[in-house]
Coordinates of all heavy atoms in Angstrom, one line a residue:
M1 N 7.9 -19.9 12.9 CA 8.0 -20.4 11.5 C 9.1 -19.5 10.8 O 9.0 -18.3 10.8 CB 6.7 -20.3 10.8 CG 6.7 -20.6 9.4 SD 5.1 -20.5 8.7 CE 5.4 -21.1 7.1
Y2 N 10.0 -20.1 10.2 CA 11.1 -19.4 9.5 C 10.8 -19.4 8.0 O 10.4 -20.4 7.4 CB 12.5 -20.1 9.8 CG 12.9 -19.8 11.2 CD1 12.7 -20.6 12.2 CD2 13.7 -18.6 11.4 CE1 13.1 -20.3 13.5 CE2 14.1 -18.3 12.7 CZ 13.8 -19.2 13.7 OH 14.3 -18.9 15.0
I3 N 11.1 -18.2 7.4 CA 10.8 -18.1 6.0 C 12.1 -17.4 5.4 O 12.9 -16.8 6.0 CB 9.6 -17.2 5.7 CG1 9.7 -15.8 6.4 CG2 8.3 -17.9 6.1 CD1 8.5 -14.9 6.1
T4 N 12.2 -17.6 4.0 CA 13.4 -17.0 3.3 C 13.2 -15.5 3.1 O 12.2 -14.9 3.4 CB 13.5 -17.7 2.0 OG1 12.4 -17.4 1.2 CG2 13.6 -19.2 2.1
I5 N 14.3 -14.9 2.6 CA 14.3 -13.5 2.3 C 13.2 -13.2 1.3 O 12.4 -12.2 1.4 CB 15.7 -13.1 1.7 CG1 16.8 -13.3 2.8 CG2 15.6 -11.6 1.3 CD1 16.8 -12.3 3.9
Q6 N 13.1 -14.0 0.2 CA 12.0 -13.8 -0.8 C 10.6 -13.9 -0.2 O 9.8 -13.0 -0.5 CB 12.2 -14.8 -1.9 CG 13.4 -14.6 -2.8 CD 13.3 -13.4 -3.6 OE1 12.3 -12.8 -3.8 NE2 14.4 -13.0 -4.2
E7 N 10.4 -14.9 0.6 CA 9.1 -15.0 1.3 C 8.8 -13.9 2.2 O 7.7 -13.4 2.4 CB 9.0 -16.4 2.0 CG 9.0 -17.6 1.1 CD 9.2 -18.9 1.8 OE1 9.8 -18.9 2.9 OE2 8.8 -19.9 1.3
T8 N 9.8 -13.4 2.9 CA 9.7 -12.3 3.8 C 9.3 -11.0 3.0 O 8.5 -10.2 3.5 CB 11.0 -12.0 4.6 OG1 11.4 -13.2 5.3 CG2 10.9 -10.9 5.6
A9 N 9.9 -10.8 1.9 CA 9.6 -9.7 1.0 C 8.2 -9.7 0.6 O 7.5 -8.7 0.6 CB 10.5 -9.6 -0.2
V10 N 7.7 -10.8 0.2 CA 6.3 -11.0 -0.2 C 5.4 -10.7 1.0 O 4.4 -10.0 0.9 CB 6.0 -12.4 -0.8 CG1 4.5 -12.6 -1.0 CG2 6.7 -12.5 -2.1
H11 N 5.7 -11.3 2.2 CA 4.9 -11.1 3.4 C 4.8 -9.6 3.8 O 3.8 -9.2 4.3 CB 5.6 -11.9 4.5 CG 4.8 -11.9 5.8 ND1 3.6 -12.4 6.0 CD2 5.2 -11.3 7.0 CE1 3.2 -12.2 7.3 NE2 4.2 -11.5 7.9
L12 N 6.0 -8.9 3.7 CA 6.0 -7.5 4.1 C 5.6 -6.5 3.0 O 5.3 -5.3 3.3 CB 7.4 -7.1 4.6 CG 7.9 -7.8 5.8 CD1 9.3 -7.4 6.1 CD2 7.0 -7.5 7.0
G13 N 5.5 -7.0 1.8 CA 5.1 -6.2 0.7 C 6.2 -5.2 0.3 O 5.9 -4.0 0.0
M14 N 7.5 -5.6 0.3 CA 8.6 -4.7 -0.1 C 9.6 -5.5 -0.9 O 9.5 -6.7 -1.0 CB 9.3 -4.1 1.2 CG 9.9 -5.1 2.1 SD 10.8 -4.4 3.5 CE 9.6 -3.4 4.3
P15 N 10.4 -4.8 -1.6 CA 11.4 -5.5 -2.5 C 12.4 -6.4 -1.7 O 12.7 -6.1 -0.6 CB 12.2 -4.4 -3.2 CG 11.4 -3.2 -3.0 CD 10.5 -3.4 -1.8
A16 N 12.8 -7.5 -2.3 CA 13.7 -8.5 -1.6 C 15.0 -7.8 -1.3 O 15.6 -8.1 -0.3 CB 13.9 -9.7 -2.5
N17 N 15.5 -6.9 -2.2 CA 16.8 -6.3 -1.9 C 16.7 -5.4 -0.7 O 17.7 -5.2 0.1 CB 17.4 -5.6 -3.1 CG 16.5 -4.5 -3.6 OD1 15.3 -4.3 -3.2 ND2 16.9 -3.8 -4.6
Q18 N 15.6 -4.8 -0.4 CA 15.4 -4.0 0.8 C 15.4 -4.9 2.0 O 16.0 -4.5 3.0 CB 14.1 -3.2 0.7 CG 14.0 -2.2 1.8 CD 12.7 -1.3 1.6 OE1 11.9 -1.5 0.7 NE2 12.6 -0.3 2.5
V19 N 14.7 -6.0 1.9 CA 14.7 -6.9 3.1 C 16.1 -7.4 3.3 O 16.6 -7.5 4.5 CB 13.8 -8.1 2.8 CG1 13.9 -9.2 3.9 CG2 12.3 -7.7 2.7
W20 N 16.9 -7.7 2.3 CA 18.2 -8.2 2.4 C 19.1 -7.1 3.1 O 19.9 -7.4 4.0 CB 18.8 -8.5 1.0 CG 20.3 -8.8 1.1 CD1 21.3 -8.0 0.8 CD2 20.9 -10.1 1.5 NE1 22.5 -8.6 0.9 CE2 22.3 -9.9 1.4 CE3 20.4 -11.3 1.9 CZ2 23.1 -10.9 1.7 CZ3 21.2 -12.3 2.2 CH2 22.6 -12.1 2.1
K21 N 18.9 -5.9 2.7 CA 19.6 -4.7 3.3 C 19.3 -4.7 4.8 O 20.1 -4.5 5.7 CB 19.2 -3.4 2.6 CG 19.9 -2.2 3.2 CD 19.5 -1.0 2.5 CE 20.0 0.3 3.2 NZ 19.4 1.5 2.7
Y22 N 18.0 -4.8 5.2 CA 17.6 -4.7 6.6 C 18.1 -5.9 7.4 O 18.5 -5.7 8.6 CB 16.0 -4.7 6.7 CG 15.4 -3.4 6.3 CD1 14.0 -3.4 6.0 CD2 16.1 -2.2 6.2 CE1 13.4 -2.2 5.6 CE2 15.5 -1.0 5.8 CZ 14.2 -1.0 5.5 OH 13.6 0.1 5.1
V23 N 18.3 -7.0 6.8 CA 18.8 -8.2 7.5 C 20.3 -7.9 7.7 O 20.8 -8.2 8.8 CB 18.6 -9.5 6.7 CG1 19.5 -10.6 7.2 CG2 17.2 -9.9 6.7
T24 N 21.0 -7.5 6.7 CA 22.5 -7.2 6.9 C 22.8 -6.1 7.9 O 23.8 -6.1 8.5 CB 23.2 -7.0 5.6 OG1 22.6 -5.8 4.9 CG2 23.1 -8.2 4.7
E25 N 21.8 -5.1 7.9 CA 22.0 -4.0 8.9 C 21.6 -4.4 10.3 O 21.8 -3.6 11.2 CB 21.2 -2.8 8.4 CG 21.8 -2.1 7.2 CD 20.9 -1.0 6.7 OE1 19.7 -0.8 7.2 OE2 21.3 -0.3 5.7
G26 N 20.9 -5.5 10.4 CA 20.4 -5.9 11.8 C 19.0 -5.4 12.1 O 18.6 -5.5 13.3
K27 N 18.4 -4.7 11.2 CA 17.0 -4.2 11.5 C 16.0 -5.3 11.5 O 14.9 -5.2 12.1 CB 16.6 -3.1 10.4 CG 17.5 -1.9 10.5 CD 17.1 -0.8 9.5 CE 18.0 0.4 9.6 NZ 17.6 1.4 8.6
I28 N 16.2 -6.4 10.7 CA 15.4 -7.6 10.8 C 16.3 -8.7 11.2 O 17.4 -8.9 10.7 CB 14.8 -7.9 9.4 CG1 13.9 -6.8 8.9 CG2 14.1 -9.2 9.4 CD1 13.3 -7.0 7.5
R29 N 15.9 -9.4 12.3 CA 16.6 -10.5 12.8 C 16.5 -11.7 11.9 O 15.4 -12.0 11.5 CB 16.2 -10.8 14.2 CG 16.5 -9.7 15.2 CD 16.0 -10.1 16.6 NE 14.5 -10.5 16.4 CZ 13.6 -10.1 17.2 NH1 13.9 -9.5 18.3 NH2 12.4 -10.5 17.0
A30 N 17.6 -12.4 11.7 CA 17.6 -13.6 10.8 C 18.7 -14.5 11.3 O 19.7 -14.1 12.0 CB 17.8 -13.2 9.4
V31 N 18.6 -15.8 10.9 CA 19.6 -16.7 11.2 C 20.1 -17.3 9.8 O 19.4 -17.3 8.9 CB 19.1 -17.9 12.0 CG1 18.7 -17.4 13.4 CG2 17.9 -18.6 11.4
H32 N 21.4 -17.6 9.8 CA 22.0 -18.1 8.6 C 22.2 -19.6 8.8 O 22.8 -20.1 9.7 CB 23.3 -17.4 8.3 CG 23.9 -17.7 7.0 ND1 24.8 -18.7 6.7 CD2 23.6 -17.1 5.8 CE1 25.1 -18.7 5.4 NE2 24.4 -17.7 4.9
D33 N 21.6 -20.4 7.9 CA 21.7 -21.9 8.0 C 22.9 -22.5 7.2 O 22.9 -23.7 7.0 CB 20.4 -22.5 7.6 CG 20.1 -22.5 6.1 OD1 20.8 -21.7 5.4 OD2 19.2 -23.1 5.7
G34 N 23.8 -21.7 6.8 CA 24.9 -22.1 6.0 C 24.7 -21.9 4.5 O 25.7 -21.8 3.7
Q35 N 23.5 -21.8 4.1 CA 23.2 -21.5 2.7 C 22.4 -20.2 2.4 O 22.6 -19.5 1.5 CB 22.4 -22.7 2.1 CG 23.1 -24.0 2.0 CD 22.3 -25.1 1.5 OE1 21.1 -24.9 1.3 NE2 22.9 -26.2 1.3
Q36 N 21.5 -19.9 3.3 CA 20.7 -18.7 3.2 C 20.3 -18.2 4.5 O 20.4 -18.9 5.6 CB 19.4 -19.1 2.4 CG 18.6 -20.2 3.1 CD 17.4 -20.6 2.2 OE1 17.1 -20.0 1.2 NE2 16.7 -21.7 2.6
F37 N 19.7 -17.0 4.5 CA 19.2 -16.4 5.7 C 17.8 -16.8 5.9 O 17.0 -16.8 4.9 CB 19.3 -14.9 5.7 CG 20.7 -14.4 6.0 CD1 21.6 -14.0 5.0 CD2 21.1 -14.2 7.3 CE1 22.8 -13.5 5.2 CE2 22.4 -13.7 7.6 CZ 23.3 -13.4 6.5
L38 N 17.4 -17.1 7.1 CA 16.0 -17.4 7.4 C 15.5 -16.4 8.5 O 16.2 -16.1 9.4 CB 15.9 -18.8 7.9 CG 16.3 -19.9 6.9 CD1 16.3 -21.3 7.6 CD2 15.4 -19.9 5.7
V39 N 14.3 -15.9 8.3 CA 13.7 -14.9 9.1 C 12.5 -15.5 9.8 O 11.7 -16.2 9.2 CB 13.2 -13.7 8.3 CG1 12.6 -12.7 9.1 CG2 14.4 -13.1 7.5
N40 N 12.4 -15.2 11.1 CA 11.3 -15.7 11.9 C 10.1 -14.8 11.6 O 10.1 -13.6 11.8 CB 11.6 -15.7 13.4 CG 10.5 -16.3 14.2 OD1 9.4 -16.5 13.8 ND2 10.8 -16.6 15.5
K41 N 9.0 -15.4 11.1 CA 7.8 -14.7 10.6 C 7.1 -14.0 11.8 O 6.5 -13.0 11.6 CB 6.9 -15.6 9.8 CG 5.7 -15.0 9.2 CD 5.0 -16.0 8.4 CE 3.8 -15.4 7.7 NZ 3.0 -16.4 6.9
D42 N 7.2 -14.6 13.0 CA 6.4 -14.1 14.1 C 7.0 -12.7 14.6 O 6.2 -12.1 15.4 CB 6.5 -15.1 15.3 CG 5.8 -16.4 14.9 OD1 4.9 -16.4 14.0 OD2 6.2 -17.5 15.4
Q43 N 8.2 -12.3 14.2 CA 8.7 -11.1 14.7 C 8.0 -9.9 14.1 O 8.2 -8.7 14.6 CB 10.2 -11.0 14.5 CG 10.6 -10.8 13.0 CD 12.1 -10.7 12.8 OE1 12.7 -9.9 13.5 NE2 12.6 -11.5 12.0
F44 N 7.1 -10.0 13.1 CA 6.5 -8.9 12.5 C 5.1 -8.7 13.0 O 4.3 -7.8 12.5 CB 6.4 -9.1 11.0 CG 7.8 -9.3 10.4 CD1 8.2 -10.5 9.9 CD2 8.7 -8.2 10.3 CE1 9.4 -10.7 9.3 CE2 9.9 -8.4 9.8 CZ 10.3 -9.6 9.3
G45 N 4.7 -9.4 14.0 CA 3.3 -9.3 14.6 C 3.0 -7.9 15.1 O 2.0 -7.3 14.8
L46 N 4.0 -7.4 15.9 CA 3.8 -6.0 16.4 C 3.8 -5.0 15.3 O 3.0 -4.0 15.4 CB 4.9 -5.7 17.4 CG 4.9 -4.3 18.1 CD1 3.6 -4.2 18.9 CD2 6.1 -4.1 19.0
Y47 N 4.6 -5.2 14.3 CA 4.7 -4.2 13.2 C 3.3 -4.1 12.5 O 2.8 -3.0 12.3 CB 5.7 -4.7 12.2 CG 5.6 -4.0 10.8 CD1 6.1 -2.7 10.7 CD2 5.1 -4.7 9.7 CE1 6.1 -2.1 9.4 CE2 5.0 -4.0 8.5 CZ 5.5 -2.8 8.4 OH 5.4 -2.1 7.1
F48 N 2.7 -5.3 12.2 CA 1.4 -5.3 11.6 C 0.3 -4.7 12.5 O -0.7 -4.1 12.0 CB 1.0 -6.7 11.1 CG 1.7 -7.1 9.8 CD1 2.6 -8.1 9.8 CD2 1.6 -6.3 8.7 CE1 3.3 -8.5 8.7 CE2 2.3 -6.7 7.5 CZ 3.2 -7.8 7.5
E49 N 0.4 -5.0 13.8 CA -0.6 -4.4 14.8 C -0.5 -2.9 14.8 O -1.5 -2.2 14.7 CB -0.3 -4.9 16.2 CG -0.7 -6.4 16.4 CD -0.3 -6.9 17.7 OE1 0.0 -6.0 18.6 OE2 -0.3 -8.1 17.9
Q50 N 0.7 -2.3 14.8 CA 0.9 -0.9 14.8 C 0.5 -0.3 13.5 O -0.1 0.8 13.5 CB 2.4 -0.6 15.1 CG 2.8 -0.9 16.5 CD 4.3 -0.6 16.8 OE1 5.0 -0.5 15.8 NE2 4.6 -0.5 18.0
L51 N 0.7 -1.0 12.4 CA 0.3 -0.5 11.1 C -1.2 -0.4 11.0 O -1.7 0.6 10.5 CB 0.8 -1.4 10.0 CG 0.7 -1.0 8.6 CD1 1.5 0.3 8.3 CD2 1.2 -2.1 7.6
E52 N -1.9 -1.4 11.6 CA -3.4 -1.3 11.6 C -3.9 -0.2 12.4 O -4.8 0.5 12.0 CB -3.9 -2.7 12.1 CG -5.4 -2.9 11.8 CD -5.7 -3.0 10.3 OE1 -4.9 -3.5 9.6 OE2 -6.8 -2.5 10.0
V53 N -3.3 0.0 13.6 CA -3.7 1.2 14.4 C -3.5 2.5 13.7 O -4.3 3.4 13.7 CB -2.9 1.2 15.8 CG1 -3.1 2.5 16.5 CG2 -3.3 0.0 16.6
L54 N -2.3 2.6 13.0 CA -2.1 3.8 12.3 C -3.1 4.1 11.1 O -3.6 5.2 10.9 CB -0.6 3.8 11.7 CG -0.2 5.0 11.0 CD1 -0.2 6.3 11.9 CD2 1.2 4.8 10.4
K55 N -3.4 3.0 10.4 CA -4.4 3.1 9.4 C -5.8 3.6 9.9 O -6.4 4.4 9.3 CB -4.6 1.8 8.7 CG -3.5 1.4 7.7 CD -3.7 0.0 7.1 CE -2.6 -0.4 6.2 NZ -2.9 -1.7 5.6
N56 N -6.1 3.0 11.1 CA -7.4 3.4 11.7 C -7.4 4.9 12.2 O -8.4 5.6 12.0 CB -7.7 2.5 12.9 CG -8.1 1.1 12.5 OD1 -8.5 0.9 11.4 ND2 -7.9 0.2 13.4
Q57 N -6.2 5.4 12.7 CA -6.1 6.8 13.1 C -6.2 7.7 11.9 O -6.9 8.7 12.0 CB -4.8 7.0 13.8 CG -4.7 6.4 15.2 CD -3.4 6.5 15.8 OE1 -2.4 6.8 15.2 NE2 -3.3 6.3 17.1
I58 N -5.6 7.3 10.8 CA -5.7 8.1 9.6 C -7.1 8.2 9.0 O -7.6 9.2 8.6 CB -4.7 7.6 8.5 CG1 -3.2 7.9 9.0 CG2 -4.9 8.3 7.2 CD1 -2.2 7.2 8.1
E59 N -7.8 7.1 9.1 CA -9.1 7.0 8.6 C -10.1 7.9 9.5 O -10.9 8.6 9.0 CB -9.6 5.6 8.6 CG -10.9 5.4 7.9 CD -10.9 5.8 6.4 OE1 -9.9 5.6 5.7 OE2 -11.9 6.3 5.9
E60 N -9.9 7.8 10.8 CA -10.6 8.7 11.7 C -10.4 10.2 11.4 O -11.3 11.0 11.4 CB -10.3 8.4 13.1 CG -10.8 7.1 13.6 CD -10.4 6.7 15.0 OE1 -9.8 7.6 15.7 OE2 -10.6 5.6 15.5
W61 N -9.1 10.5 11.2 CA -8.7 11.9 10.9 C -9.4 12.4 9.6 O -9.9 13.5 9.5 CB -7.2 12.0 10.8 CG -6.8 13.4 10.4 CD1 -6.7 14.5 11.2 CD2 -6.3 13.8 9.2 NE1 -6.2 15.5 10.5 CE2 -5.9 15.1 9.2 CE3 -6.0 13.1 8.0 CZ2 -5.4 15.8 8.2 CZ3 -5.5 13.8 6.9 CH2 -5.2 15.2 7.0
R62 N -9.4 11.5 8.6 CA -10.0 11.8 7.3 C -11.5 12.0 7.4 O -12.1 12.8 6.7 CB -9.7 10.8 6.2 CG -8.3 10.8 5.7 CD -8.1 9.8 4.6 NE -6.8 9.9 4.1 CZ -6.2 9.0 3.4 NH1 -6.9 7.9 3.0 NH2 -5.0 9.1 2.9
N63 N -12.2 11.3 8.3 CA -13.6 11.3 8.4 C -14.1 12.4 9.4 O -15.3 12.7 9.5 CB -14.2 10.0 8.9 CG -14.0 8.9 7.8 OD1 -14.0 9.2 6.6 ND2 -13.9 7.7 8.2
E64 N -13.1 13.1 10.0 CA -13.5 14.1 11.0 C -14.0 15.4 10.2 O -13.4 15.8 9.2 CB -12.2 14.5 11.8 CG -12.5 15.5 12.9 CD -11.3 15.7 13.7 OE1 -10.6 14.7 14.1 OE2 -10.9 16.9 13.9
P65 N -15.1 15.9 10.6 CA -15.7 17.1 9.9 C -14.8 18.3 10.0 O -14.1 18.5 11.1 CB -17.0 17.3 10.5 CG -17.0 16.6 11.8 CD -16.0 15.5 11.7
I66 N -14.8 19.1 9.0 CA -14.0 20.4 9.1 C -14.8 21.4 9.9 O -15.9 21.6 9.7 CB -13.8 20.9 7.7 CG1 -13.0 19.9 6.8 CG2 -13.1 22.3 7.7 CD1 -12.8 20.3 5.4
P67 N -14.1 21.9 10.9 CA -14.8 22.9 11.8 C -15.1 24.2 11.0 O -14.3 24.6 10.1 CB -13.8 23.1 13.0 CG -12.5 22.7 12.4 CD -12.7 21.7 11.4
P68 N -16.1 24.9 11.4 CA -16.4 26.1 10.7 C -15.4 27.2 11.1 O -14.8 27.2 12.2 CB -17.8 26.5 11.3 CG -17.9 25.8 12.6 CD -17.1 24.5 12.4
D69 N -15.1 28.0 10.1 CA -14.1 29.0 10.3 C -14.7 30.2 11.1 O -15.7 30.7 10.8 CB -13.6 29.5 8.9 CG -12.4 30.4 9.0 OD1 -11.9 30.6 10.2 OD2 -12.0 31.0 8.0
R70 N -14.0 30.6 12.2 CA -14.5 31.6 13.0 C -14.4 33.0 12.4 O -15.1 34.0 12.8 CB -13.8 31.6 14.4 CG -14.0 30.4 15.2 CD -13.3 30.4 16.5 NE -11.9 30.3 16.1 CZ -10.9 30.5 17.0 NH1 -11.1 31.0 18.2 NH2 -9.6 30.3 16.6
D71 N -13.5 33.2 11.4 CA -13.3 34.5 10.8 C -14.3 34.8 9.7 O -14.3 35.9 9.2 CB -11.9 34.5 10.2 CG -10.8 34.5 11.3 OD1 -11.2 34.8 12.5 OD2 -9.7 34.0 11.1
I72 N -15.1 33.9 9.3 CA -16.1 34.2 8.2 C -17.3 35.0 8.8 O -17.9 34.6 9.8 CB -16.6 32.9 7.6 CG1 -15.5 32.1 6.9 CG2 -17.8 33.2 6.7 CD1 -15.9 30.8 6.3
K73 N -17.6 36.1 8.2 CA -18.6 37.0 8.7 C -19.7 37.0 7.6 O -19.5 37.1 6.5 CB -18.1 38.4 9.0 CG -17.1 38.4 10.0 CD -16.6 39.8 10.3 CE -15.6 39.7 11.4 NZ -14.7 40.7 11.5
D74 N -20.9 37.0 8.1 CA -22.1 37.0 7.2 C -22.3 38.5 6.8 O -22.6 39.3 7.6 CB -23.3 36.4 7.9 CG -24.4 36.2 6.9 OD1 -24.2 36.3 5.7 OD2 -25.5 36.0 7.4
E75 N -22.1 38.8 5.5 CA -22.2 40.1 5.1 C -23.6 40.5 4.6 O -23.8 41.6 4.3 CB -21.2 40.3 3.9 CG -19.8 40.1 4.2 CD -19.2 41.2 5.1 OE1 -19.6 42.4 5.0 OE2 -18.3 40.9 5.9
D76 N -24.5 39.6 4.6 CA -25.8 39.8 4.1 C -26.6 40.7 5.0 O -26.9 40.7 6.0 CB -26.6 38.6 3.8 CG -25.9 37.9 2.6 OD1 -25.3 38.6 1.8 OD2 -26.1 36.6 2.4

């Protein structure tokens, strides 16, 4: 399914001018139909999968208990 630059920006949650920059730099693949650039929405599947994995890893890291400090000595 092909979407416009504006729709791509909404889908990715970033400004349209940044999406436009990525398209012109070749970081996002797009086709030009004579009037506008169209982006294949399916190319972002891996991006969202990796983003979800990263979010899960960060959440696991945040929930990991802090280990006790070995240098603390009981002075009592």
Side-chain angles (χ1 to χ4, degrees):
M1 173 180 184
Y2 286 92
I3 56 177
T4 64
I5 297 285
Q6 291 290 347
E7 294 168 335
T8 303
V10 170
H11 180 66
L12 295 177
M14 63 177 58
N17 59 354
Q18 187 176 9
V19 174
W20 174 259
K21 179 181 173 193
Y22 288 162
V23 167
T24 57
E25 291 175 351
K27 293 180 180 178
I28 295 178
R29 293 178 307 223
V31 294
H32 193 265
D33 70 350
Q35 297 177 350
Q36 61 185 351
F37 281 98
L38 298 173
V39 178
N40 188 343
K41 187 176 180 180
D42 297 333
Q43 70 179 306
F44 302 111
L46 180 60
Y47 167 75
F48 285 117
E49 288 174 16
Q50 291 175 342
L51 189 62
E52 195 63 35
V53 168
L54 184 61
K55 285 179 183 178
N56 290 337
Q57 289 175 345
I58 290 172
E59 190 62 32
E60 287 175 9
W61 176 75
R62 285 184 178 165
N63 292 333
E64 187 175 310
I66 299 175
D69 190 5
R70 293 180 290 165
D71 294 335
I72 296 178
K73 296 181 179 156
D74 190 16
E75 300 289 330
D76 293 338

